[in-house]
Amino acid sequence: MLKQRIITALLLAPLAVLVILWTPHTVTMAVFAVLVVAGAWEWAAFPGWNSAPARIAYAGLMAAGIAALWTSMPESPRLDVVIDVAMLWWLAALAWIAFMPMRMNRAIAAVAGFLVLLPVWLALVRLHGRDPHLVLFLVLVVVAADVGAYFAGRAFGKHKLAPRVSPAKTWEGVFGGLAASALMAGVGVYWFDVTPGPFLALCLVVVVASIVGDLTESLFKRHAGLKDSGSLLPGHGGVLDRVDSVTAAAPVFVFGLEWLGRLS
């Protein structure tokens, strides 16, 4: 499985860099939209809508939501409310994971898809519109956290992080992920020429958010009886399995950068 994950990642990495750094902003927006709609197709299984017509309908509604955001000019300050709602959602998701992971119903699963997927599209678009390198940096921070958590968890993992949600994740993995991402954040300080303290703090908060995003998808998959959200990406599963961490990390990164005055 690790070999498959590495091969898939190596194949996808150049394509991701191409889309992020070297394609026009509108094209990148469209690519992000396709990924979100593909994620919506997979998310439809969480409330139990497994038939093709049901999945098409859910993905279609998500596409309509993206179109509404797109035509409302994603750079408009009026859309800050979408990011604000996402922040509230992820705080609620953290509380849910910590205190009520066994509770679930179809309505929550269906609505949650919109609270997760629409804000991440808007957040990525806003980052890309400001500076494509911000999107690349965000991805690198999340990947560093993922890699650090994987190897630290395998080597030292003993204390379970959220056994009722994702039994394989450990606190040792969390600390390994934070350490790896802190190194990447240090690179970001020089990359973007920012004040170290606040930026490093923001990056660590972003990593915590990425963990919440990962655990949230695991929670929905567990209640739906799924191991993976799909099978499109060998070694990784579906689109959601690859971007679950980013769904929470991107809105938090945008919110933090706006608070620091870096997106104004």
Side-chain angles (χ1 to χ4, degrees):
M1 185 65 71
L2 179 59
K3 182 179 179 180
Q4 280 188 323
R5 287 174 66 91
I6 293 173
I7 292 173
T8 300
L10 290 175
L11 291 174
L12 290 177
L15 180 60
V17 173
L18 173 65
V19 169
I20 293 170
L21 296 184
W22 293 311
T23 57
H25 182 55
T26 302
V27 174
T28 303
M29 290 173 65
V31 173
F32 289 161
V34 169
L35 290 175
V36 167
V37 172
W41 169 276
E42 296 175 356
W43 194 286
F46 296 163
W49 299 335
N50 295 307
S51 68
R55 289 193 172 205
I56 291 172
Y58 192 78
L61 288 173
M62 194 68 66
I66 292 173
L69 293 176
W70 195 323
T71 56
S72 298
M73 299 174 58
E75 295 298 329
S76 171
R78 291 176 300 174
L79 293 181
D80 285 350
V81 66
V82 177
I83 302 299
D84 294 340
V85 169
M87 297 296 293
L88 294 175
W89 156 252
W90 288 116
L91 288 173
L94 175 60
W96 188 5
I97 291 166
F99 302 112
M100 301 182 297
M102 305 312 294
R103 300 187 63 177
M104 176 69 72
N105 62 58
R106 289 191 173 192
I108 291 175
V111 172
F114 291 89
L115 297 175
V116 170
L117 296 174
L118 291 181
V120 72
W121 180 82
L122 179 62
L124 291 174
V125 165
R126 294 191 70 168
L127 288 172
H128 192 268
R130 179 65 175 82
D131 181 355
H133 292 91
L134 288 171
V135 179
L136 181 60
F137 174 73
L138 172 65
V139 172
L140 291 175
V141 168
V142 171
V143 169
D146 189 32
V147 172
Y150 179 81
F151 287 104
R154 289 195 64 178
F156 310 109
K158 293 181 179 179
H159 301 88
K160 301 298 183 182
L161 174 63
R164 293 183 293 177
V165 177
S166 185
K169 290 181 173 58
T170 63
W171 281 104
E172 290 80 4
V174 170
F175 295 135
L178 288 170
S181 60
L183 294 176
M184 182 56 64
V187 173
V189 169
Y190 295 96
W191 191 349
F192 301 108
D193 189 23
V194 293
T195 304
F199 188 75
L200 291 173
L202 171 59
C203 290
L204 293 180
V205 172
V206 166
V207 171
V208 172
S210 75
I211 296 170
V212 176
D214 189 346
L215 289 173
T216 300
E217 196 220 349
S218 295
L219 178 66
F220 283 111
K221 286 190 297 186
R222 177 170 289 272
H223 281 282
L226 299 172
K227 181 180 183 296
D228 297 316
S229 66
S231 57
L232 182 64
L233 305 175
H236 294 269
V239 172
L240 288 175
D241 295 315
R242 184 60 277 165
V243 304
D244 52 4
S245 298
V246 177
T247 58
V252 171
F253 194 41
V254 167
F255 186 89
L257 288 175
E258 289 181 337
W259 188 72
L260 294 175
R262 299 295 299 187
L263 287 182
S264 56

